[in-house]
Amino acid sequence: MYSVYFTSMSREQKKLKRVDRMNRNGEEEVAEKRRRRRREGVQVSLRGGCLAASATAIAVMLMATEKGVADIYGLPLPLNSSWSFSPSYQYVVGACTVTVLYSLLHLCLGIYRLLTGSPITPSRSQAWLCFIFDQLFSYLIMSAGSAGIGVTNLNKTGIKHTPLPDFCKTLSYFCNHVALSLLLVLLSFIFLASSSLFNVLVLSTL
C-alpha cells in the first residue's frame, strides 16, 4: 500500500515538474518575443527617422535660393545663388533622394511584418544584406554631407587671396538653409549608423 502511495506521489510530482517547466518555457518564450518586438520596433523607428531626416534635408536644400548685392571696394556686385549652381549640393540632393527611397522601402516592409507578426529579419543572410546596404548608404550620405560642408565653409569664409567677400553676409537666407540641410544629412547618417548597429545585434541572436 505504501509503495503504491509513493509511486502515485512521484508521478504527481513529475507531472507538476513537467507542468512547471512548460510554464517557465512559455513565460520565457513570451518574454523573448516581447524583447524581439521591442528591438524590431526600434529598428522601424530608426528607418522612419532616417526617412524623415533625409526628406526634410531635400526640402530645405531645394528652398536654398536667394538674390542679393555685395559691396566690393565700393562697387555693387549682384549675386544670385541657388543650390543647383553647385555640384556638391546637387550631390547632397541626389544622395538624400536615394536614401529616402531605400528607407521608405525598409520602413514599409518593417511595418508590414510588425503588423503580420513575422520577424523583420527572418534569416542571417537578410540581416547581412541589411547591414551591408546600411553601411553603403551611410558612406554615401556622409560623403555627400562632407562635400556640401566644404562648399558651405568656402561661402562663409570667402577666398582670402581674392577680393571675393563672405557671401553669407549678403545671402544669409541661402546659407542658413544649406547649413540646416547639411545638419539634417548628418542626422540621417546617425540613423543609418544606428540601424547598422542593430543589424549587428540581430546577427548575434540568429
Side-chain angles (χ1 to χ4, degrees):
M1 180 176 178
Y2 286 109
S3 62
V4 173
Y5 174 76
F6 283 119
T7 301
S8 61
M9 285 291 295
S10 63
R11 288 178 179 175
E12 289 296 329
Q13 289 176 353
K14 288 180 180 179
K15 288 181 180 179
L16 290 174
K17 289 181 179 179
R18 191 159 50 244
V19 171
D20 184 59
R21 191 181 306 113
M22 291 174 63
N23 290 334
R24 285 201 302 269
N25 291 337
E27 291 176 356
E28 291 176 359
E29 184 178 352
V30 171
E32 177 61 28
K33 186 176 180 180
R34 288 177 179 174
R35 286 194 294 269
R36 180 170 62 85
R37 280 302 174 190
R38 283 196 296 267
R39 185 170 63 243
E40 291 176 343
V42 173
Q43 285 181 278
V44 172
S45 300
L46 290 174
R47 299 294 184 189
C50 181
L51 173 63
S54 300
T56 308
I58 295 173
V60 173
M61 182 65 79
L62 293 180
M63 292 189 296
T65 58
E66 187 179 10
K67 293 181 180 181
V69 178
D71 185 18
I72 301 180
Y73 299 129
L75 297 176
L77 176 65
L79 298 177
N80 184 14
S81 187
S82 174
W83 68 273
S84 59
F85 296 164
S86 171
S88 296
Y89 294 154
Q90 293 176 9
Y91 181 30
V92 170
V93 172
C96 287
T97 301
V98 176
T99 303
V100 164
L101 296 176
Y102 172 74
S103 301
L104 181 61
L105 174 64
H106 274 278
L107 180 63
C108 294
L109 185 61
I111 292 175
Y112 171 76
R113 288 181 174 175
L114 278 179
L115 294 177
T116 56
S118 56
I120 292 181
T121 49
S123 63
R124 288 183 62 88
S125 59
Q126 185 171 344
W128 273 112
L129 284 176
C130 290
F131 172 76
I132 292 171
F133 278 104
D134 282 347
Q135 289 287 309
L136 291 176
F137 278 92
S138 296
Y139 294 138
L140 174 66
I141 205 76
M142 179 51 68
S143 66
S146 300
I149 289 172
V151 177
T152 303
N153 184 62
L154 183 62
N155 290 336
K156 178 65 177 175
T157 59
I159 302 176
K160 297 180 179 179
H161 303 295
T162 64
L164 292 179
D166 174 4
F167 291 113
C168 289
K169 289 182 180 179
T170 305
L171 306 174
S172 58
Y173 177 87
F174 170 79
C175 291
N176 290 337
H177 273 70
V178 168
L180 178 58
S181 177
L182 294 176
L183 182 62
L184 291 168
V185 168
L186 177 60
L187 182 61
S188 178
F189 167 78
I190 293 174
F191 280 123
L192 278 171
S194 301
S195 180
S196 179
L197 176 62
F198 264 90
N199 286 323
V200 173
L201 297 177
V202 170
L203 281 169
S204 65
T205 59
L206 291 176

